Amino acid sequence: MSTNIKLSLDTRRKKNDDSFPVILRLSHFRKTTSLRLGVSVQLNFWDERSEKIKKSYGDSATVKKLNNKLLKAKVRAINIIDKLNESEELNYLSILQLKNKITKKVAVNSFFEYSNLIIEELKKVERYGNANSYYAITKILKKFNKGKDLKFNEINYEFLKKFEQFHYSRGNSTNGLAVYMKTIRAIYNKAIKAGVIPKEAYPFTNYKIKTTPTEKRALDIDGIKSIMLLHLEKNDSLFHYRNYFLTSYMLYGISFIDMAFLKLENIIDNRVKFFRSKTSKPYDIKITPQLKEILTIYIKNKDKSDFIFPIIKRDTYELQYKDVLWARKDYNQGLKLIAKKCNIEQRVTSYVSRHSFATQAMLHDVPLQAISAMLGHNRLTTTQIYLKSLPSEVLDDYNEKLVKL
């Protein structure tokens, strides 16, 4: 069990009388936090080894009473941890959720308040993509609820249906609604696991989240070549956008966000090695001559810790993530202009490089298992669904190829 708890002094918070708060120091999967117990003593009166107040602190009755209080708090916390471990729930709790279980700080009945707690927790571990998704749903729900607070018990089947109508009334898509509903559901599931709300309050028992197949836009090999051969000056912003598109294509459809965070240290022995942020899947991709030609433009006079592409400008991860989101908008606008210059009639976005890679892999008889690994899918069925949703003309060409085999 990767969870421990001990009585200790919080020597970071010295009081006016030179005493320090006695805390329960909780360790859970290499992360630590503290629980205050309402008792403070001076450093010379604390026995760190025995985890108790020394007899010299005062009269024996007072010392005994205080130590019993501290021991009782520790035993109670251990019992809660043991029960969570027995029920196989412990390993699925964050340290904040575990702390809430122990302190019984589960009186949060505001959906917005609890969502903000999750957002702050995600930011601490630099999961800004997820944090932004949670922030987006709280923002739209506040607008729907006319700025009023939203309690967990107010979110029921009827509420979800009204929010659905609100979403569609603004001309939004089914898949956009699905993203919002899945985020609400995720927050609810976290709240249930943390003991904030009972399982019986779950509003998605009867409400089914609907999705529609997303249209996949893939360029044929002639489209890819036209982008590759397009003459652009180096001082033209489209020069960079073209290079980003081709880099993504040659790195198995790497996302713009993952590409922006690539550093020189990711290039090892003529290979690009990185982890996909969405799934944490490792990638180890050989650098082709075409990709090397692009990378060479950007890696001159840079240190290993420098980003390869000139996308990120600021220092902290949170601000860097915002840099990437803004740059992605400009990138998509730039791809429209590139498509026009190359006489490509279909809409080209940052995702098209991924769809195009999957298409070419399929048409060149790359095994399904290999395509699945290249795309970073966890299951083959996901890859099958992904490929089936490619443009019909692509599938027609592929099916005709199969018939001839």
Side-chain angles (χ1 to χ4, degrees):
M1 185 169 64
S2 302
T3 307
N4 293 292
I5 196 161
K6 65 172 291 186
L7 289 164
S8 183
L9 281 191
D10 188 352
T11 54
R12 300 169 302 173
R13 294 177 172 84
K14 189 176 182 180
K15 294 193 171 185
N16 293 333
D17 60 355
D18 292 331
S19 66
F20 299 93
V22 181
I23 58 170
L24 278 173
R25 193 174 300 283
L26 175 65
S27 301
H28 183 60
F29 289 110
R30 297 182 181 180
K31 294 185 178 180
T32 60
T33 189
S34 60
L35 294 76
R36 291 200 178 194
L37 302 174
V39 176
S40 298
V41 296
Q42 285 76 19
L43 188 61
N44 59 309
F45 292 121
W46 179 251
D47 188 334
E48 186 68 23
R49 184 176 180 182
S50 300
E51 299 181 39
K52 64 182 182 181
I53 300 170
K54 295 178 181 178
K55 292 180 181 179
S56 55
Y57 178 71
D59 63 87
S60 58
T62 300
V63 173
K64 184 177 181 180
K65 184 178 179 180
L66 288 173
N67 280 329
N68 284 341
K69 177 182 177 180
L70 299 176
L71 181 61
K72 187 176 179 181
K74 181 180 178 181
V75 170
R76 177 183 169 279
I78 291 172
N79 288 337
I80 291 172
I81 292 170
D82 287 343
K83 286 180 181 179
L84 291 170
N85 188 44
E86 289 172 8
S87 65
E88 298 184 354
E89 187 180 348
L90 183 63
N91 289 342
Y92 300 97
L93 295 176
S94 69
I95 193 166
L96 176 61
Q97 291 170 329
L98 179 56
K99 180 179 178 179
N100 288 339
K101 291 275 189 182
I102 295 172
T103 59
K104 287 190 175 180
K105 287 185 178 178
V106 296
V108 179
N109 59 8
S110 166
F111 180 87
F112 294 146
E113 184 180 342
Y114 187 71
S115 298
N116 288 334
L117 289 175
I118 297 175
I119 291 168
E120 291 306 312
E121 187 178 351
L122 289 170
K123 285 182 177 180
K124 286 179 182 177
V125 294
E126 297 187 343
R127 293 175 61 188
Y128 291 103
N130 287 359
N132 286 341
S133 297
Y134 283 65
Y135 174 75
I137 191 59
T138 58
K139 190 175 180 180
I140 192 67
L141 282 177
K142 284 179 181 178
K143 188 168 186 176
F144 171 66
N145 215 37
K146 298 178 180 178
K148 296 184 293 184
D149 192 18
L150 181 62
K151 307 299 182 184
F152 272 105
N153 60 8
E154 293 177 313
I155 303 178
N156 50 30
Y157 177 82
E158 184 180 353
F159 177 91
L160 295 177
K161 292 299 290 184
K162 286 182 178 178
F163 178 67
E164 178 184 293
Q165 294 169 4
F166 168 78
H167 178 84
Y168 286 136
S169 69
R170 303 176 73 197
N172 296 317
S173 68
T174 298
N175 287 349
L177 177 66
V179 171
Y180 286 143
M181 289 300 188
K182 286 177 182 179
T183 308
I184 295 173
R185 186 176 64 185
I187 294 171
Y188 242 93
N189 286 332
K190 287 179 181 292
I192 290 171
K193 285 183 180 180
V196 174
I197 52 173
K199 292 181 180 179
E200 294 74 21
Y202 187 66
F204 288 91
T205 303
N206 297 315
Y207 183 89
K208 303 302 177 185
I209 299 175
K210 301 175 184 177
T211 59
T212 56
T214 304
E215 180 189 358
K216 297 293 188 293
R217 302 180 182 91
L219 298 180
D220 58 23
I221 196 64
D222 290 333
I224 297 292
K225 286 181 178 178
S226 66
I227 293 177
M228 188 177 292
L229 297 174
L230 179 63
H231 177 73
L232 294 166
E233 298 295 335
K234 287 189 177 181
N235 59 355
D236 188 337
S237 60
L238 296 185
F239 174 81
H240 298 296
Y241 299 150
R242 187 266 304 279
N243 290 341
Y244 300 161
F245 182 87
L246 294 175
T247 298
S248 174
Y249 175 77
M250 288 183 273
L251 289 179
Y252 301 169
I254 186 176
S255 72
F256 184 77
I257 291 176
D258 286 345
M259 182 172 59
F261 280 100
L262 286 179
K263 295 183 176 182
L264 261 68
E265 61 193 29
N266 293 111
I267 300 177
I268 304 170
D269 298 329
N270 202 41
R271 305 184 74 86
V272 177
K273 300 183 180 184
F274 65 97
F275 288 88
R276 188 182 179 203
S277 59
K278 191 174 181 180
T279 60
S280 297
K281 287 265 188 178
Y283 280 81
D284 184 349
I285 305 172
K286 184 178 180 180
I287 298 175
T288 61
Q290 296 91 337
L291 179 57
K292 186 175 183 179
E293 186 177 341
I294 293 173
L295 294 177
T296 302
I297 297 170
Y298 296 99
I299 63 177
K300 290 178 181 177
N301 303 318
K302 285 187 177 180
D303 296 326
K304 283 198 170 184
S305 59
D306 291 336
F307 295 110
I308 294 174
F309 299 105
I311 297 171
I312 295 170
K313 310 296 182 185
R314 293 181 280 186
D315 296 329
T316 66
Y317 187 88
E318 185 172 6
L319 293 176
Q320 289 172 349
Y321 194 87
K322 290 180 179 179
D323 285 342
V324 177
L325 294 182
W326 279 110
R328 187 171 62 180
K329 291 180 181 179
D330 292 337
Y331 172 51
N332 281 318
Q333 291 297 319
L335 288 177
K336 290 181 181 179
L337 297 175
I338 289 174
K340 188 175 181 180
K341 285 178 177 288
C342 293
N343 297 316
I344 297 172
E345 294 183 0
Q346 69 191 80
R347 186 183 172 206
V348 180
T349 68
S350 57
Y351 293 106
V352 171
S353 60
R354 184 172 175 80
H355 305 158
S356 301
F357 164 76
T359 300
Q360 293 305 316
M362 182 179 68
L363 292 175
H364 286 82
D365 301 324
V366 176
L368 179 65
Q369 291 87 344
I371 296 176
S372 185
M374 290 170 174
L375 292 175
H377 292 160
N378 292 318
R379 295 178 296 178
L380 281 177
T381 52
T382 303
T383 310
Q384 289 171 326
I385 294 170
Y386 186 93
L387 294 177
K388 284 179 181 178
S389 62
L390 288 168
S392 58
E393 63 270 19
V394 171
L395 296 177
D396 290 343
D397 290 345
Y398 181 60
N399 290 331
E400 285 181 18
K401 193 174 182 181
L402 290 178
V403 171
K404 294 176 182 178
L405 293 178

